[in-house]
Amino acid sequence: MKRIYLILSFAVVCATCVGYFYMTNRPEYLASKSEYIPTFFSLPKEDFTNLGNQFCIDELHSQGRRFEDFGSAHYVLKISDLHPNIREVMIKNPSTIRTVSSLILSIRRADILGTFELKHNSCNATAHYEQIYDD
């Protein structure tokens, strides 16, 4: 009897871990909070975390077509000067576009298109996510 409870407990723990991993890696989840911007764009987290929770200056969310849709999200960010390697990482990424005023990295994950723009000679950046509809 104890063995059955042990097996069931192990199965529940495993199912919970798999469910948590699945839910926290969905594009909608990663785009829903500013803390997950480095994960969504595969950028070094230390460029964001050295400022504490003050790296996000402003954020704006809007609803999609239906209530359960993601819609869009826009974040204004302050990037740390202590780790300038974020520019190097962005330049090495083949999805990055280099303009006169900024570096722009665009990544699509499932139906969420994310755009990260980092200004040259500045610590200011923006991240914008929008849901893509295929109709």
Coordinates of all heavy atoms in Angstrom, one line a residue, residues 58-134:
D58 N 8.7 51.8 -17.7 CA 7.3 51.9 -18.1 C 6.8 50.7 -18.8 O 7.6 50.1 -19.5 CB 7.0 53.2 -18.9 CG 5.6 53.6 -19.0 OD1 4.8 53.1 -18.2 OD2 5.2 54.4 -19.9
E59 N 5.5 50.4 -18.7 CA 5.0 49.3 -19.4 C 3.5 49.5 -19.8 O 2.8 50.3 -19.1 CB 5.1 47.9 -18.7 CG 4.4 47.8 -17.4 CD 4.7 46.5 -16.7 OE1 5.7 46.4 -16.0 OE2 3.9 45.6 -17.0
L60 N 3.1 49.0 -20.9 CA 1.8 49.2 -21.4 C 1.3 47.8 -22.0 O 2.1 47.2 -22.8 CB 1.8 50.3 -22.5 CG 0.5 50.5 -23.2 CD1 -0.5 51.2 -22.3 CD2 0.7 51.5 -24.4
H61 N 0.1 47.4 -21.7 CA -0.4 46.2 -22.2 C -1.8 46.5 -22.8 O -2.5 47.3 -22.4 CB -0.7 45.1 -21.0 CG 0.6 44.8 -20.3 ND1 1.3 43.7 -20.7 CD2 1.2 45.3 -19.3 CE1 2.4 43.6 -19.9 NE2 2.4 44.6 -19.1
S62 N -2.1 45.8 -23.9 CA -3.4 45.9 -24.5 C -3.9 44.5 -24.9 O -3.2 43.6 -25.2 CB -3.3 46.8 -25.8 OG -2.6 46.2 -26.8
Q63 N -5.2 44.4 -24.8 CA -5.9 43.1 -25.0 C -5.9 42.8 -26.5 O -6.0 43.7 -27.4 CB -7.3 43.2 -24.5 CG -8.0 41.8 -24.5 CD -9.3 42.0 -23.8 OE1 -9.5 42.9 -22.9 NE2 -10.3 41.1 -24.1
G64 N -6.0 41.5 -26.9 CA -6.1 41.1 -28.2 C -7.6 41.1 -28.7 O -8.4 41.7 -28.1
R65 N -7.8 40.4 -29.8 CA -9.1 40.4 -30.4 C -10.2 39.7 -29.5 O -11.3 40.2 -29.4 CB -9.1 39.7 -31.8 CG -8.3 40.4 -32.8 CD -8.3 39.6 -34.1 NE -7.5 40.2 -35.1 CZ -7.2 39.7 -36.2 NH1 -7.7 38.5 -36.6 NH2 -6.4 40.3 -37.1
R66 N -9.7 38.6 -28.9 CA -10.6 37.9 -28.0 C -10.1 38.1 -26.6 O -8.9 38.4 -26.4 CB -10.7 36.4 -28.4 CG -11.3 36.2 -29.7 CD -11.3 34.7 -30.1 NE -10.1 34.0 -29.9 CZ -9.2 33.9 -30.9 NH1 -9.4 34.4 -32.1 NH2 -8.0 33.3 -30.7
F67 N -10.9 37.8 -25.6 CA -10.5 38.0 -24.2 C -9.3 37.1 -23.8 O -8.4 37.6 -23.1 CB -11.7 37.6 -23.3 CG -11.4 37.7 -21.8 CD1 -11.3 39.0 -21.2 CD2 -11.1 36.6 -21.1 CE1 -10.9 39.1 -19.9 CE2 -10.8 36.7 -19.7 CZ -10.7 37.9 -19.1
E68 N -9.2 35.9 -24.4 CA -8.1 35.0 -24.0 C -6.8 35.3 -24.8 O -5.8 34.7 -24.5 CB -8.5 33.6 -24.1 CG -8.9 33.1 -25.5 CD -10.3 33.4 -25.9 OE1 -11.1 33.9 -25.1 OE2 -10.7 33.0 -27.0
D69 N -6.9 36.2 -25.7 CA -5.7 36.5 -26.6 C -4.6 37.3 -25.8 O -5.0 38.0 -24.8 CB -6.1 37.3 -27.8 CG -6.8 36.5 -28.8 OD1 -6.7 35.3 -28.7 OD2 -7.3 37.1 -29.8
F70 N -3.4 37.2 -26.2 CA -2.3 38.0 -25.5 C -2.4 39.4 -25.8 O -2.3 40.3 -25.0 CB -1.0 37.4 -26.0 CG 0.2 38.2 -25.5 CD1 0.6 38.2 -24.2 CD2 0.8 39.1 -26.3 CE1 1.7 38.9 -23.7 CE2 1.9 39.9 -25.9 CZ 2.3 39.8 -24.5
G71 N -2.6 39.8 -27.1 CA -2.7 41.2 -27.5 C -1.3 41.7 -27.7 O -0.6 41.3 -28.6
S72 N -0.9 42.7 -26.9 CA 0.4 43.3 -27.1 C 0.9 43.8 -25.8 O 0.2 44.1 -24.8 CB 0.4 44.4 -28.1 OG -0.3 45.5 -27.7
A73 N 2.2 44.0 -25.7 CA 2.9 44.6 -24.5 C 4.1 45.4 -25.0 O 4.7 45.1 -25.9 CB 3.3 43.5 -23.5
H74 N 4.3 46.5 -24.3 CA 5.4 47.4 -24.6 C 6.1 47.8 -23.3 O 5.5 48.2 -22.4 CB 4.9 48.7 -25.3 CG 5.9 49.6 -25.8 ND1 6.7 49.3 -26.9 CD2 6.4 50.7 -25.3 CE1 7.6 50.3 -27.1 NE2 7.4 51.2 -26.1
Y75 N 7.4 47.7 -23.3 CA 8.2 48.0 -22.1 C 9.3 49.1 -22.5 O 9.9 48.9 -23.5 CB 8.9 46.8 -21.6 CG 8.0 45.7 -21.2 CD1 7.7 44.6 -22.1 CD2 7.3 45.7 -20.0 CE1 6.8 43.6 -21.8 CE2 6.4 44.6 -19.7 CZ 6.2 43.6 -20.6 OH 5.3 42.6 -20.3
V76 N 9.5 50.0 -21.6 CA 10.6 51.0 -21.8 C 11.6 50.6 -20.7 O 11.3 50.5 -19.5 CB 10.2 52.4 -21.6 CG1 11.3 53.4 -21.7 CG2 9.1 52.8 -22.6
L77 N 12.9 50.4 -21.1 CA 13.9 49.8 -20.2 C 15.1 50.7 -20.0 O 15.4 51.5 -20.9 CB 14.3 48.4 -20.7 CG 13.2 47.5 -21.1 CD1 13.8 46.3 -21.9 CD2 12.5 46.9 -19.9
K78 N 15.8 50.5 -18.9 CA 17.1 51.1 -18.7 C 18.1 49.9 -18.5 O 17.9 49.0 -17.7 CB 17.0 51.9 -17.4 CG 18.2 52.8 -17.2 CD 18.3 53.9 -18.1 CE 17.9 55.2 -17.4 NZ 18.2 56.3 -18.4
I79 N 19.1 49.8 -19.4 CA 20.0 48.7 -19.4 C 21.3 49.1 -18.6 O 21.7 50.2 -18.7 CB 20.4 48.3 -20.8 CG1 19.2 48.0 -21.6 CG2 21.4 47.1 -20.9 CD1 18.4 46.8 -21.1
S80 N 21.9 48.2 -17.9 CA 23.1 48.4 -17.1 C 24.3 48.8 -17.9 O 24.5 48.2 -19.0 CB 23.4 47.2 -16.2 OG 24.6 47.4 -15.5
D81 N 25.0 49.8 -17.5 CA 26.3 50.2 -18.1 C 27.4 49.3 -17.7 O 28.5 49.3 -18.4 CB 26.7 51.6 -17.7 CG 25.8 52.6 -18.4 OD1 25.3 52.4 -19.5 OD2 25.6 53.8 -17.9
L82 N 27.2 48.5 -16.7 CA 28.3 47.7 -16.1 C 28.7 46.5 -17.0 O 29.8 46.0 -17.0 CB 27.9 47.2 -14.8 CG 27.6 48.3 -13.7 CD1 27.2 47.6 -12.4 CD2 28.9 49.1 -13.5
H83 N 27.7 46.1 -17.8 CA 28.0 44.9 -18.7 C 27.7 45.3 -20.2 O 26.5 45.1 -20.6 CB 27.1 43.7 -18.3 CG 27.5 43.2 -16.9 ND1 28.6 42.4 -16.7 CD2 26.9 43.4 -15.7 CE1 28.6 42.1 -15.5 NE2 27.6 42.7 -14.8
P84 N 28.6 45.8 -20.9 CA 28.3 46.3 -22.3 C 28.2 45.1 -23.3 O 28.1 45.3 -24.4 CB 29.5 47.2 -22.6 CG 30.6 46.7 -21.7 CD 30.0 46.2 -20.5
N85 N 28.3 43.9 -22.8 CA 28.3 42.7 -23.7 C 27.0 42.5 -24.4 O 26.8 41.7 -25.3 CB 28.8 41.5 -23.0 CG 28.0 41.1 -21.9 OD1 27.2 41.8 -21.3 ND2 28.1 39.8 -21.4
I86 N 25.9 43.2 -23.9 CA 24.6 43.0 -24.6 C 24.7 43.4 -26.0 O 24.1 42.8 -26.9 CB 23.5 43.7 -23.8 CG1 22.1 43.3 -24.3 CG2 23.7 45.2 -23.8 CD1 21.0 43.8 -23.5
R87 N 25.4 44.5 -26.3 CA 25.6 44.9 -27.7 C 26.3 43.9 -28.5 O 25.9 43.6 -29.7 CB 26.3 46.3 -27.7 CG 25.5 47.4 -27.1 CD 26.2 48.7 -27.2 NE 25.8 49.7 -26.2 CZ 24.6 50.3 -26.2 NH1 23.7 49.9 -27.0 NH2 24.3 51.2 -25.2
E88 N 27.3 43.3 -28.0 CA 28.1 42.2 -28.7 C 27.2 41.0 -29.0 O 27.2 40.5 -30.1 CB 29.3 41.8 -27.9 CG 30.3 42.9 -27.7 CD 31.4 42.5 -26.6 OE1 31.4 41.3 -26.3 OE2 32.1 43.4 -26.2
V89 N 26.4 40.6 -28.0 CA 25.5 39.5 -28.2 C 24.4 39.8 -29.3 O 24.1 39.0 -30.1 CB 24.8 39.1 -26.9 CG1 23.7 38.1 -27.1 CG2 25.8 38.6 -25.9
M90 N 23.9 41.0 -29.3 CA 22.9 41.4 -30.3 C 23.6 41.5 -31.7 O 22.9 41.0 -32.6 CB 22.3 42.8 -29.9 CG 21.4 42.7 -28.7 SD 20.6 44.2 -28.4 CE 19.5 44.4 -29.8
I91 N 24.8 42.0 -31.8 CA 25.4 42.1 -33.1 C 25.7 40.7 -33.7 O 25.6 40.5 -34.9 CB 26.7 42.9 -33.0 CG1 26.3 44.4 -32.8 CG2 27.6 42.8 -34.2 CD1 27.5 45.3 -32.4
K92 N 26.1 39.8 -32.8 CA 26.3 38.4 -33.3 C 25.1 37.6 -33.7 O 25.2 36.7 -34.5 CB 27.0 37.6 -32.2 CG 28.5 38.1 -32.0 CD 29.1 37.3 -30.9 CE 30.5 37.8 -30.5 NZ 31.1 37.1 -29.4
N93 N 23.9 38.1 -33.3 CA 22.7 37.4 -33.6 C 22.3 37.8 -35.1 O 22.2 38.9 -35.4 CB 21.6 37.8 -32.7 CG 20.3 37.0 -32.8 OD1 19.9 36.6 -33.9 ND2 19.7 36.7 -31.7
P94 N 22.0 36.8 -35.9 CA 21.7 37.1 -37.3 C 20.4 37.8 -37.5 O 20.1 38.4 -38.6 CB 21.7 35.7 -38.0 CG 21.6 34.7 -36.9 CD 22.1 35.4 -35.7
S95 N 19.5 37.8 -36.5 CA 18.2 38.5 -36.6 C 18.3 39.9 -36.2 O 17.3 40.6 -36.3 CB 17.2 37.8 -35.7 OG 17.1 36.4 -36.0
T96 N 19.5 40.4 -35.9 CA 19.6 41.8 -35.4 C 19.8 42.7 -36.7 O 20.6 42.4 -37.6 CB 20.8 42.0 -34.5 OG1 20.6 41.2 -33.3 CG2 21.0 43.4 -34.1
I97 N 19.1 43.8 -36.7 CA 19.3 44.8 -37.7 C 20.0 46.0 -37.1 O 19.6 46.5 -36.0 CB 17.9 45.3 -38.2 CG1 17.2 44.1 -38.9 CG2 18.1 46.4 -39.2 CD1 15.7 44.4 -39.2
R98 N 21.0 46.5 -37.7 CA 21.8 47.6 -37.2 C 21.4 48.9 -38.0 O 21.6 48.9 -39.2 CB 23.3 47.3 -37.3 CG 24.1 48.3 -36.6 CD 25.6 47.9 -36.7 NE 26.3 48.6 -35.7 CZ 27.5 48.3 -35.3 NH1 28.0 47.1 -35.7 NH2 28.1 49.0 -34.4
T99 N 20.8 49.9 -37.3 CA 20.5 51.1 -37.9 C 21.4 52.2 -37.5 O 22.3 52.0 -36.6 CB 19.0 51.5 -37.6 OG1 18.9 51.8 -36.2 CG2 18.1 50.4 -38.0
V100 N 21.2 53.4 -37.9 CA 22.0 54.5 -37.5 C 21.9 54.8 -36.0 O 22.9 55.2 -35.4 CB 21.7 55.8 -38.4 CG1 22.4 57.0 -37.9 CG2 21.9 55.5 -39.8
S101 N 20.7 54.7 -35.5 CA 20.5 55.1 -34.1 C 20.4 53.9 -33.1 O 20.4 54.1 -31.9 CB 19.2 55.9 -34.1 OG 18.1 55.1 -34.5
S102 N 20.2 52.6 -33.6 CA 20.0 51.6 -32.7 C 20.2 50.2 -33.3 O 20.5 50.0 -34.5 CB 18.5 51.6 -32.2 OG 17.6 51.4 -33.3
L103 N 20.2 49.2 -32.4 CA 20.2 47.8 -32.7 C 18.8 47.3 -32.5 O 18.2 47.5 -31.4 CB 21.2 47.0 -31.9 CG 22.7 47.4 -32.0 CD1 23.5 46.7 -30.9 CD2 23.2 47.0 -33.4
I104 N 18.3 46.5 -33.5 CA 16.9 46.0 -33.4 C 17.0 44.5 -33.5 O 17.4 44.0 -34.6 CB 16.0 46.7 -34.4 CG1 16.0 48.2 -34.2 CG2 14.6 46.1 -34.3 CD1 15.3 48.9 -35.4
L105 N 16.5 43.8 -32.5 CA 16.4 42.3 -32.6 C 15.0 41.9 -32.6 O 14.2 42.3 -31.7 CB 17.2 41.8 -31.3 CG 17.1 40.3 -31.1 CD1 17.7 39.5 -32.3 CD2 17.8 39.9 -29.8
S106 N 14.6 41.2 -33.6 CA 13.2 40.7 -33.7 C 13.2 39.1 -33.7 O 14.0 38.5 -34.4 CB 12.6 41.1 -35.0 OG 12.4 42.5 -35.0
I107 N 12.4 38.6 -32.8 CA 12.2 37.1 -32.7 C 10.8 36.8 -32.6 O 10.0 37.4 -31.9 CB 13.0 36.6 -31.4 CG1 14.5 36.9 -31.5 CG2 12.6 35.2 -31.1 CD1 15.3 36.4 -30.4
R108 N 10.4 35.8 -33.4 CA 9.0 35.3 -33.3 C 9.0 33.9 -32.6 O 9.8 33.0 -33.0 CB 8.4 35.1 -34.7 CG 7.0 34.6 -34.7 CD 6.4 34.6 -36.0 NE 5.0 34.1 -35.9 CZ 4.1 34.0 -36.9 NH1 4.5 34.5 -38.1 NH2 2.9 33.5 -36.7
R109 N 8.2 33.8 -31.6 CA 8.0 32.5 -30.9 C 6.5 32.2 -30.9 O 5.7 33.0 -30.4 CB 8.5 32.6 -29.4 CG 10.0 32.8 -29.3 CD 10.4 32.9 -27.8 NE 11.8 33.3 -27.6 CZ 12.8 32.4 -27.5 NH1 12.5 31.1 -27.5 NH2 14.0 32.9 -27.3
A110 N 6.2 31.1 -31.6 CA 4.8 30.7 -31.8 C 4.1 31.9 -32.5 O 4.5 32.3 -33.6 CB 4.2 30.3 -30.5
D111 N 3.1 32.4 -31.8 CA 2.3 33.5 -32.4 C 2.6 34.9 -31.8 O 1.8 35.8 -31.9 CB 0.8 33.3 -32.4 CG 0.3 33.2 -31.0 OD1 1.1 33.0 -30.1 OD2 -1.0 33.3 -30.8
I112 N 3.8 35.0 -31.1 CA 4.2 36.2 -30.5 C 5.4 36.7 -31.2 O 6.4 36.0 -31.3 CB 4.5 36.1 -29.0 CG1 3.3 35.5 -28.2 CG2 4.9 37.4 -28.4 CD1 2.1 36.4 -28.2
L113 N 5.4 38.0 -31.7 CA 6.5 38.6 -32.3 C 7.1 39.6 -31.3 O 6.4 40.5 -30.9 CB 6.1 39.3 -33.6 CG 7.2 40.1 -34.3 CD1 8.4 39.2 -34.8 CD2 6.7 41.0 -35.4
G114 N 8.4 39.4 -31.0 CA 9.0 40.3 -30.0 C 10.1 41.1 -30.7 O 10.8 40.6 -31.6
T115 N 10.2 42.4 -30.4 CA 11.1 43.3 -31.0 C 11.8 44.0 -29.8 O 11.2 44.7 -29.0 CB 10.5 44.4 -31.9 OG1 9.7 43.7 -32.9 CG2 11.5 45.2 -32.6
F116 N 13.2 43.9 -29.8 CA 14.0 44.6 -28.7 C 14.9 45.6 -29.4 O 15.6 45.2 -30.3 CB 14.8 43.5 -28.0 CG 15.6 44.1 -26.9 CD1 15.1 44.3 -25.6 CD2 17.0 44.4 -27.1 CE1 15.8 44.8 -24.6 CE2 17.7 44.9 -26.0 CZ 17.1 45.1 -24.8
E117 N 14.8 46.8 -29.0 CA 15.6 47.9 -29.6 C 16.4 48.6 -28.6 O 15.9 49.0 -27.5 CB 14.6 48.9 -30.3 CG 15.4 50.1 -30.9 CD 14.5 51.0 -31.6 OE1 13.3 50.9 -31.6 OE2 15.0 52.0 -32.3
L118 N 17.7 48.6 -28.8 CA 18.7 49.2 -27.9 C 19.3 50.4 -28.6 O 19.9 50.2 -29.7 CB 19.7 48.2 -27.5 CG 20.8 48.6 -26.5 CD1 20.3 49.1 -25.2 CD2 21.8 47.5 -26.3
K119 N 19.2 51.5 -28.1 CA 19.8 52.8 -28.7 C 21.3 52.8 -28.5 O 21.9 52.3 -27.6 CB 19.2 54.0 -28.0 CG 17.7 54.1 -28.0 CD 17.3 54.5 -29.4 CE 15.8 54.7 -29.4 NZ 15.2 54.8 -30.7
H120 N 22.0 53.3 -29.6 CA 23.4 53.5 -29.5 C 23.8 54.6 -28.5 O 23.0 55.5 -28.4 CB 24.0 53.9 -30.9 CG 23.9 52.8 -31.9 ND1 24.4 51.5 -31.7 CD2 23.4 52.8 -33.2 CE1 24.1 50.8 -32.8 NE2 23.5 51.5 -33.7
N121 N 24.9 54.5 -27.9 CA 25.4 55.5 -27.0 C 24.4 55.9 -25.9 O 24.3 57.0 -25.5 CB 25.8 56.8 -27.7 CG 26.9 56.4 -28.7 OD1 27.8 55.6 -28.5 ND2 26.9 57.1 -29.9
S122 N 23.6 54.9 -25.5 CA 22.5 55.2 -24.5 C 22.2 53.9 -23.7 O 22.5 52.8 -24.2 CB 21.3 55.7 -25.2 OG 20.2 55.8 -24.2
C123 N 21.6 54.0 -22.6 CA 21.2 52.9 -21.8 C 19.7 52.6 -22.0 O 19.2 51.7 -21.4 CB 21.5 53.1 -20.3 SG 23.2 53.3 -19.9
N124 N 19.1 53.4 -22.9 CA 17.7 53.2 -23.1 C 17.4 52.1 -24.1 O 18.0 52.0 -25.2 CB 17.1 54.5 -23.6 CG 17.2 55.6 -22.6 OD1 17.2 55.3 -21.4 ND2 17.3 56.8 -23.0
A125 N 16.3 51.3 -23.8 CA 15.9 50.3 -24.7 C 14.4 50.1 -24.6 O 13.8 50.6 -23.7 CB 16.6 48.9 -24.3
T126 N 13.8 49.5 -25.6 CA 12.4 49.2 -25.6 C 12.2 47.7 -26.0 O 13.0 47.2 -26.8 CB 11.6 50.1 -26.6 OG1 12.1 49.9 -27.9 CG2 11.7 51.5 -26.1
A127 N 11.2 47.1 -25.5 CA 10.8 45.8 -25.9 C 9.3 45.8 -26.2 O 8.5 46.4 -25.5 CB 11.1 44.8 -24.8
H128 N 9.0 45.3 -27.4 CA 7.6 45.3 -27.8 C 7.2 43.9 -28.3 O 7.9 43.3 -29.0 CB 7.4 46.3 -29.0 CG 6.0 46.4 -29.4 ND1 5.0 47.1 -28.7 CD2 5.4 45.9 -30.5 CE1 3.9 47.0 -29.4 NE2 4.1 46.2 -30.4
Y129 N 6.1 43.4 -27.8 CA 5.5 42.1 -28.2 C 4.1 42.3 -28.8 O 3.4 43.2 -28.3 CB 5.4 41.2 -26.9 CG 6.6 41.0 -26.2 CD1 6.9 41.7 -25.0 CD2 7.5 40.0 -26.6 CE1 8.1 41.4 -24.3 CE2 8.7 39.7 -25.9 CZ 8.9 40.4 -24.7 OH 10.1 40.2 -24.0
E130 N 3.9 41.6 -29.8 CA 2.5 41.6 -30.3 C 2.1 40.2 -30.8 O 3.0 39.5 -31.3 CB 2.4 42.7 -31.5 CG 3.2 42.4 -32.7 CD 3.1 43.5 -33.7 OE1 2.0 43.7 -34.2 OE2 4.1 44.2 -34.0
Q131 N 0.9 40.0 -30.7 CA 0.3 38.7 -31.1 C 0.1 38.7 -32.6 O -0.5 39.7 -33.1 CB -1.0 38.3 -30.4 CG -1.5 37.0 -30.7 CD -2.6 36.6 -29.8 OE1 -3.1 37.4 -29.1 NE2 -3.0 35.3 -29.9
I132 N 0.6 37.7 -33.3 CA 0.4 37.6 -34.8 C -0.8 36.7 -35.1 O -0.9 35.6 -34.6 CB 1.7 37.0 -35.4 CG1 2.9 37.8 -35.1 CG2 1.5 36.9 -37.0 CD1 2.9 39.2 -35.6
Y133 N -1.7 37.3 -35.9 CA -2.9 36.5 -36.3 C -2.7 36.0 -37.7 O -2.3 36.8 -38.6 CB -4.2 37.3 -36.2 CG -4.5 37.7 -34.8 CD1 -4.1 39.0 -34.3 CD2 -5.2 36.9 -34.0 CE1 -4.5 39.3 -33.0 CE2 -5.5 37.2 -32.7 CZ -5.2 38.4 -32.2 OH -5.5 38.8 -30.9
D134 N -2.9 34.8 -38.0 CA -2.7 34.2 -39.3 C -4.0 34.0 -40.1 O -4.3 33.0 -40.7 CB -2.0 32.8 -39.2 CG -0.6 32.9 -38.6 OD1 0.1 33.9 -38.9 OD2 -0.2 31.9 -37.9

